[in-house]
């Protein structure tokens, strides 16, 4: 069965970027500390990353995040979604208008201009097709940015919430939670490492 999983790194004070994020500073000032775990040699951090990317049948992201990963300092074969871990899943981008050109021309990408719920529906269809083709259950991963994940939570579109809680305080930036979240989070698992506490909740 395909689940919709929101998966994002967050600071102790609830921010998914540092202050002043922008095209040349996507994570904001100090925001790199949120993702230290993803580059860690700790075996538990590596396992969390490996398991998350392996279950990715389709990935949803907002236009701002897409512009960052497609930008000149964005993803490459060495640094990108699941680099060295998994083949490239389908990417579904929520946007008001598709870009006129792209740097990452090898991405399997779909641009959805009719809103986040429709993007999640498209991603679910892609993940279910990948599940059937591969003979294994794959999920939809909502990777961000923060506004996209927050909106999905507020709209009740999320089945599972995975937070990578970084031991850092940013003081300002992009908050993850800006409103109520329908449903009740039920803790499924906790994994603590030197770089993060990995928390997974079922949204009931």
């Amino acid at each position: 069965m395909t689940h919709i999983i929101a998966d994002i790194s967050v600071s102790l004070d609830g921010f998914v970027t540092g202050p002043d994020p922008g095209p040349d500073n996507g994570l904001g000032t100090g925001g790199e500390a949120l993702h230290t775990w993803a580059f860690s040699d700790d075996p538990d951090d590596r396992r969390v990353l490996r398991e998350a990317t392996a279950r990715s049948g389709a990935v949803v992201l907002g236009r701002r995040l897409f512009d960052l990963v497609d930008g000149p300092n964005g993803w490459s074969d060495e640094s990108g979604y699941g680099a060295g871990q998994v083949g490239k899943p389908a990417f579904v981008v929520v946007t008001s208008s598709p870009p006129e050109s792209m740097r990452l021309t090898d991405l399997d990408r779909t641009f959805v201009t009719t809103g986040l719920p429709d993007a999640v529906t498209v991603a679910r269809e892609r993940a279910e097709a990948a599940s059937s083709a591969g003979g294994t259950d794959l999920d939809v991963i909502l990777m961000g940015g923060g506004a996209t994940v927050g909106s999905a939570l507020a709209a009740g579109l999320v089945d599972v919430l995975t937070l990578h809680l970084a031991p850092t305080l940013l003081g300002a930036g992009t908050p993850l939670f800006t409103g109520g979240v329908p449903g009740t989070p039920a803790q499924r698992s906790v994994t603590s490492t030197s770089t993060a506490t990995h928390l997974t909740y079922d949204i009931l």
Side-chain angles (χ1 to χ4, degrees), residues 70 76-77 88-89 91 102-109:
D70 189 54
S76 66
D77 289 340
K88 295 183 175 70
F91 292 89
M102 286 180 51
R103 178 179 65 88
L104 299 172
T105 55
D106 62 335
L107 286 185
D108 177 356
R109 76 280 183 190

Side-chain angles (χ1 to χ4, degrees), residues 32-188:
E32 294 83 1
L34 296 172
H35 298 277
T36 300
W37 72 271
F39 303 96
S40 164
D41 291 328
D42 185 294
D44 283 328
D45 285 327
R46 303 311 300 168
R47 176 182 57 78
V48 168
L49 181 64
R50 181 175 63 254
E51 291 176 354
T53 54
R55 70 173 181 253
S56 302
V59 178
V60 177
L61 62 163
R63 177 61 184 273
R64 290 181 184 176
L65 179 56
F66 177 79
D67 286 346
L68 289 173
V69 302
D70 189 54
N73 299 316
W75 288 349
S76 66
D77 289 340
E78 293 75 35
S79 176
Y81 189 88
Q85 297 284 343
V86 69
K88 295 183 175 70
F91 292 89
V92 179
V93 183
V94 187
T95 181
S96 59
S97 60
E100 295 182 359
S101 63
M102 286 180 51
R103 178 179 65 88
L104 299 172
T105 55
D106 62 335
L107 286 185
D108 177 356
R109 76 280 183 190
T110 302
F111 297 97
V112 175
T113 60
T114 52
L116 181 56
D118 286 346
V120 170
T121 296
V122 170
R124 184 190 293 275
E125 291 170 352
R126 296 299 304 274
E128 289 174 345
S131 297
S132 296
T136 185
D137 287 336
L138 297 173
D139 297 315
V140 173
I141 308 298
L142 301 176
M143 68 168 287
T148 299
V149 171
S151 295
L153 286 166
L157 299 174
V158 175
D159 300 315
V160 178
L161 173 63
T162 296
L163 299 177
H164 309 286
L165 187 63
T168 187
L169 296 167
L170 295 172
T174 304
L176 177 57
F177 300 108
T178 57
V181 177
T184 301
Q187 185 169 288
R188 180 195 294 181

